[in-house]
Amino acid sequence: MPKMSLDMQGKWADRPLGMRDVFPQQAKLRWQVESRLVRLFDAQKFELVSCGTFEYVDTLLRGRAEEESRDWVRLLDSSGRMMALRPEMTPSIARMAAPLLAAGMPEVRWCYGERVYRRTDDPASLSWASGRAAESTQVGIEWIGGSGDAVDAQVVSLCQSGLQELHLAEWQMVVSHAAFAPEFFQALELPKETIQDLLRDLSRGDYVNFRSLATASGIHQDLLQVLADLNPLHAGSLPLWLTERWQQTEAGHRVQTVWNKLVDFGQVLQQKNLANHLAFDLTLVRDVSYYTGIVFEVFAPGAGAPVALGGRYDDLLGQFGAPAPAVGFAYEVERLLTALTAGEWLAESDQNGGV
Amino acid sequence: MLTIALAKGRTAEGVMPLWQEAGLPIPADLDDSRALVFEMADTEFGWLRFLLAKPADVPTYVSFGVADLGVVGKDVLLENHRDVFELLDLEAARCTLCVAGLPAHRDTWARKVATKYPRLADQYFRSRGMAVETIVLSGSIELAAVIGLADRIFDLVQTGSTLKANGLVVYDRVLEVSARLIANGSSYRTQRSRMESLLDRLRQTVAIHHRMD
């Protein structure tokens, strides 16, 4: 046994905050998972693309709210322009695809496997499994140019087949719609600021504040429960009082339209046998503002945060100069590995790298 | 199995009566054991595991998903923001975040503040246009004011007896806080039905207390 001690003299080089070393066995396993997923995507005609790690902040902010940039790692280029390490791949793909779409390419089907970055104080081993890691690996697809239930169902199907490909034993997909909760609150004739606050509470899971805000706005029903009980797989879960109320206003008609779409989508999912590990949950609100249609997250025991996330973003490409409908999702590879190996993957890199 | 992290001390003590009144299972030896983990089987909720953790660590356990649920004071959630779902205000283990000090300093300009809550103290004093120096301590904050390390303390006050015993008075009551039931987002989405039955019981019991108050 080599003698271990504290490095009093500062002989060893420091590892930067939040960064994590991955030693032989583990690096290989991660690479295998990445490449199996990329191969699956490739077989489904999603071609692998790549790009640089930096993007300009103004690029990343197209189509989204300033406050979403709070945990980006920012720096200045030599001319003083603000850059950031990409927090995800979707804006980069949109940037790359827009000129091609504008030049007449009808459809872009790309996939990627890249590292993404966030500011965090959490230790990497834990944040990889559950929180926001400083550096993590995302493997995903973006399908630009396709829309409709059939396309969305195909994306859901692809996401599920990736999990099967990896033999992930237990998982649960939760589906919602980005427009449902906002329209639902508008149909209740709540003020704009209240709606923003309610949506923020839903995305953060601050249900205590949600309830007190709803009560303070003069709503007597338990709104959260009403939302939670709605299940597009059972059209009958929509209570009569809601339907009646929705008929009376413009916003009501809009939320009814979203509901009808979701019921249709639910039927497509059932027909295609995709609803077995899937549940709708209309309290699910993603904290990414560019989503316009279905959104989904996949959970697996052992990982404290989603192992896959995605949704439809029909307005984002317009922000990049080439309006086109789009949908995509990404796997969080380190979280998948944690779930696949019951946490062993995180521990073993210490053992192999340590003494 | 459902893992529940409880904030040791004041919060756990304040919440246990409510928990028992709601008919929820609790290990018999929770109070008088030095163990930190308790497992028990329950006919309704299946296997339950209770962790006793330092209050500030409860959101950490929950956000990393090692615990599915947690019981912790709102003060802790406000001071150390973590990605956890806040499911229910248990309206128990109530306390007040207060600014306090020696009676003689009451009308002086705040300069040095001792606290366990650097973030909240900073927010509070800045919102009043006061630039104070924050001294972070981990316990017995009163001592700092008594011996003159700070001219203010920013701390949680339950009955006020500790303040009184040390000759300190409350200058301002900043925020009422109570215990919250929190959940890991991932656990909540996947184990919703199991958590919901537990949540319902607690919610009903809280509502009964609410009516009695």
Side-chain angles (χ1 to χ4, degrees), chain A residues 177-200:
Chain A
H177 192 292
F180 190 85
E183 299 287 13
F184 178 85
F185 296 142
Q186 271 181 35
L188 293 166
E189 285 154 342
L190 293 168
K192 217 175 185 170
E193 302 77 53
T194 311
I195 295 178
Q196 287 308 322
D197 291 346
L198 289 172
L199 291 171
R200 188 206 52 214

Side-chain angles (χ1 to χ4, degrees), chain A residues 204-355:
Chain A
R204 286 186 189 166
D206 190 347
Y207 296 154
V208 172
N209 205 47
F210 181 95
R211 284 200 160 94
S212 64
L213 201 59
T215 310
S217 313
I219 307 237
H220 301 300
Q221 287 101 346
D222 184 349
L223 266 197
L224 197 66
Q225 202 58 48
V226 173
L227 269 177
D229 288 341
L230 293 174
N231 179 4
L233 291 174
H234 300 284
S237 66
L238 183 68
L240 197 61
W241 68 268
L242 265 182
T243 332
E244 284 169 355
R245 191 162 178 169
W246 287 352
Q247 278 162 4
Q248 293 160 16
T249 60
E250 196 62 32
H253 286 288
R254 288 201 301 271
V255 63
Q256 180 74 56
T257 310
V258 179
W259 170 260
N260 294 345
K261 275 192 204 162
L262 280 172
V263 172
D264 291 345
F265 183 54
Q267 279 177 355
V268 174
L269 291 175
Q270 274 172 327
Q271 282 157 14
K272 293 186 188 286
N273 219 5
L274 296 170
N276 301 328
H277 299 273
L278 179 149
F280 279 90
D281 183 347
L282 299 179
T283 64
L284 175 77
V285 171
R286 293 281 313 272
D287 57 355
V288 178
S289 56
Y290 57 63
Y291 286 115
T292 55
I294 62 144
V295 290
F296 59 90
E297 295 185 346
V298 179
F299 300 95
V307 295
L309 319 89
R312 172 161 287 284
Y313 50 98
D314 286 346
D315 296 338
L316 187 67
L317 267 291
Q319 299 287 328
F320 282 84
V327 61
F329 73 89
Y331 298 107
E332 290 281 353
V333 174
E334 286 82 7
R335 294 182 200 162
L336 269 178
L337 282 161
T338 308
L340 281 167
T341 62
E344 285 298 304
W345 185 77
L346 295 172
E348 275 179 42
S349 64
D350 290 336
Q351 285 161 20
N352 291 325
V355 180

Side-chain angles (χ1 to χ4, degrees), chain B residues 183-202:
Chain B
N184 174 270
S186 185
S187 302
Y188 182 70
R189 297 263 176 238
T190 50
Q191 305 196 56
R192 175 93 155 254
S193 54
R194 236 146 69 101
M195 288 188 186
E196 212 53 64
S197 58
L198 190 139
L199 207 61
D200 274 343
R201 298 259 201 100
L202 284 170

Side-chain angles (χ1 to χ4, degrees), chain A residues 122-123 126-127 130 132 172 174 204-208 211 225 228 281 283-284 299 303-305, chain B residues 63-65 74 81-89 180 184-186 188-190 192 196 203:
Chain A
D122 295 341
L126 286 170
S127 54
S130 56
R132 299 197 151 167
Q172 174 79 20
V174 178
R204 286 186 189 166
D206 190 347
Y207 296 154
V208 172
R211 284 200 160 94
Q225 202 58 48
D281 183 347
T283 64
L284 175 77
F299 300 95
Chain B
S63 72
F64 290 139
K74 179 68 178 173
H81 179 76
R82 290 236 162 244
D83 285 336
V84 293
F85 281 24
E86 198 177 313
L87 301 182
L88 184 64
D89 183 350
R180 305 295 160 104
N184 174 270
S186 185
Y188 182 70
R189 297 263 176 238
T190 50
R192 175 93 155 254
E196 212 53 64
R203 198 177 292 134

